[in-house]
Amino acid sequence: MKPKKALITGLTGQDGSYLAEHLLSLGYEVHGLVRRVALEDPGRRFNRIEHLLDQITLHAASLESYPSIFHIFSRHQFDECYHLAAQSFVGESFADGFSTMNTNINGTHYMLAGLRELQPQCKFYFAGSSEMFGKVREVPQKETTPFHPRSPYGISKVAGFDLTRNYREAYGMFCVSGIFFNHESPRRGFEFVTRKITSAVAHIHQGLASELRVGNLEARRDWGHAKDYVRAMHLMVQREEPEDLVVASGESHSVREFCELAFAEVGLDYRDYVIQDEKFYRPAEVEHLIGDSSKAREALGWEPQYTFQELVKEMVSRDLELAGKAAEMASSAGAIA
Ligand code: NDP
Ligand code: GDR
């Protein structure tokens, strides 16, 4: 049987890299849409996918350019398209709301319009977010909870969600959104709070740093492991009928608890190192997210395999390895000097 062919946008990101591994393990032919600047600087931009480069096909395109997306769809037919690319950092969306909106809303619209024009049979997945719930109207949040986004990022994701639903309803395409709560891993970007914490723990442990400055320690998130969440994306696309689903661990923890656990991994008390700094507060905060994913668990037979504690442990352990190498390099540079 011919292997299924999937296109992933955002392949170089945390989720894209895990999803590519997962689809390859299932026998898929995996293609990725990547920025031309990334192709030009593979050493730095492909660090999450360098072990996959000989098994995947990359196409240069920009989410800001409909012709570049149209070009890919006019040359390659796909069975499934996972649209993960986005400006995904909520903090940055306050700093530059315009480019976040442009990339996230127009980019999603271009993907949908290109598919409708050239391959409407291709199944489409949109990476929706718990940030769409924002100032939450109920606890826990589920598929029927109204949206009240609190950032340009959240607003852009609501627009992407609405576009995805509209293409499904108007044109009968298989277009589905995952409403995914926070998921992390050792491949998480360093600007997100979990990775910022685990990286600081490792640097402090190695004597390479002495403090960690963060914003709101009381914010609560429903944190899972990205590896578990990409399995759910794939399962959502395998269904007969498209249905938007909440995917979450069902547990919430504060940033403070995350710090406590991560520092305790190396025998330190977070209170000796963590400093709250106004600079990292958001103009409008999302205080408390916790998801009810019972519908997805039932419909997909999905269960997360990682616990919160295992997630923190794995992230700290990876960052200790990296900081260990950095400390070695620093000391050998010192010896040479
Ligand atoms: P990352 O920030 O790790 O990855 C984002 C990806 O999008 C990168 O591959 C990046 O490419 C690409 N990208 C950004 N801007 C553009 C652009 N203008 N043109 C082309 N590609 C672009 O995000 P995650 O992997 O964590 O998240 C994947 C998706 O899921 C995102 O849409 C995010 O908003 C959403 N999401 C994530 C959650 C999470 O907790 N991780 C939860 C809910 C939703 P490059 O490497 O070149 O910068
Ligand atoms: P989030 O993730 O905004 O939930 O979006 P992030 O890790 O950035 O923030 C989580 C919470 O921690 C608080 N916080 C800090 N955050 C950062 N980044 N840095 C700090 O120093 C800091 N101190 C406290 C934040 O205020 C917030 O309350 C992530 C992204 O992956 C989105 O793309 C995705 O859609 C959502 O998760 C679900």
Side-chain angles (χ1 to χ4, degrees):
M1 211 172 72
K2 247 176 82 185
K4 276 194 194 171
K5 206 162 146 181
L7 177 71
I8 302 175
T9 74
L11 181 79
T12 54
Q14 171 188 257
D15 290 8
S17 65
Y18 282 119
L19 180 64
E21 277 172 13
H22 184 55
L23 296 182
L24 286 168
S25 78
L26 297 172
Y28 275 69
E29 182 180 323
V30 175
H31 292 239
L33 180 159
V34 295
R35 303 194 231 207
R36 181 158 297 287
V37 285
L39 278 171
E40 283 162 4
D41 187 8
R44 211 163 57 83
R45 302 287 201 129
F46 290 163
N47 63 322
R48 295 186 179 102
I49 55 162
E50 59 194 0
H51 59 297
L52 304 175
L53 286 174
D54 58 349
Q55 302 169 64
I56 56 184
T57 307
L58 300 179
H59 306 279
S62 161
L63 279 191
E64 281 86 33
S65 152
Y66 181 67
S68 73
I69 291 169
F70 190 89
H71 183 83
I72 300 177
F73 288 142
S74 65
R75 279 163 181 73
H76 302 271
Q77 288 287 323
F78 300 103
D79 299 294
E80 298 170 10
C81 172
Y82 297 85
H83 177 42
L84 312 183
Q87 193 301 96
S88 76
F89 185 38
V90 174
E92 168 60 21
S93 82
F94 284 108
D96 185 359
F98 289 91
S99 61
T100 301
M101 295 279 189
N102 187 27
T103 301
N104 294 5
I105 303 178
N106 290 339
T108 303
H109 201 178
Y110 296 155
M111 292 296 296
L112 285 162
L115 283 176
R116 180 188 166 218
E117 190 66 28
L118 295 170
Q119 35 191 309
Q121 81 300 336
C122 174
K123 290 179 162 187
F124 178 82
Y125 173 89
F126 172 68
S129 163
S130 50
E131 283 296 298
M132 300 189 299
F133 295 123
K135 189 169 183 191
V136 300
R137 307 275 182 90
E138 63 179 329
V139 178
Q141 297 84 49
K142 51 182 187 282
E143 289 78 6
T144 49
T145 306
F147 295 145
H148 184 146
R150 295 265 281 173
S151 62
Y153 169 82
I155 294 166
S156 77
K157 285 290 175 179
V158 172
F161 178 93
D162 283 339
L163 278 164
T164 302
R165 182 172 53 196
N166 194 238
Y167 270 73
R168 175 169 78 223
E169 292 176 355
Y171 309 118
M173 292 163 62
F174 187 110
C175 297
V176 70
S177 293
I179 307 172
F180 279 32
F181 282 63
N182 297 55
H183 43 277
E184 320 292 311
S185 74
R187 295 187 195 166
R188 190 53 144 153
F190 289 94
E191 65 274 44
F192 300 95
V193 77
T194 55
R195 190 73 195 277
K196 185 172 167 180
I197 297 168
T198 59
S199 173
V201 164
H203 280 79
I204 290 169
H205 182 68
Q206 288 292 341
L208 298 169
S210 56
E211 64 176 35
L212 165 64
R213 288 183 174 268
V214 295
N216 182 8
L217 279 171
E218 311 317 326
R220 298 185 73 85
R221 288 291 182 277
D222 179 327
W223 279 299
H225 196 299
K227 257 190 185 175
D228 281 332
Y229 287 50
V230 300
R231 283 193 292 111
M233 285 177 195
H234 174 254
L235 290 169
M236 283 181 67
V237 173
Q238 306 318 303
R239 300 185 74 203
E240 285 294 311
E241 296 298 327
E243 185 180 22
D244 305 326
L245 293 171
V246 161
V247 171
S249 78
E251 260 182 47
S252 97
H253 298 272
S254 65
V255 174
R256 184 184 294 283
E257 283 167 49
F258 196 105
C259 287
E260 189 176 357
L261 206 57
F263 277 86
E265 278 295 316
V266 295
L268 298 176
D269 184 334
Y270 80 99
R271 289 171 296 188
D272 297 332
Y273 303 95
V274 174
I275 297 166
Q276 276 188 279
D277 187 333
E278 293 269 313
K279 196 168 89 186
F280 297 106
Y281 278 77
R282 292 180 179 168
E285 175 64 291
V286 170
E287 297 290 348
H288 184 189
L289 291 175
I290 177 165
D292 172 359
S293 61
S294 41
K295 203 166 176 191
R297 288 172 195 236
E298 168 79 30
L300 310 176
W302 176 83
E303 285 289 334
Q305 286 168 0
Y306 281 82
T307 63
F308 176 65
Q309 288 73 13
E310 286 165 346
L311 169 70
V312 177
K313 204 180 183 59
E314 187 184 319
M315 290 180 72
V316 172
S317 159
R318 174 66 183 143
D319 280 330
L320 283 171
E321 265 174 49
L322 293 177
K325 283 186 194 144
E328 246 172 57
M329 278 169 69
S331 76
S332 53
I336 292 165

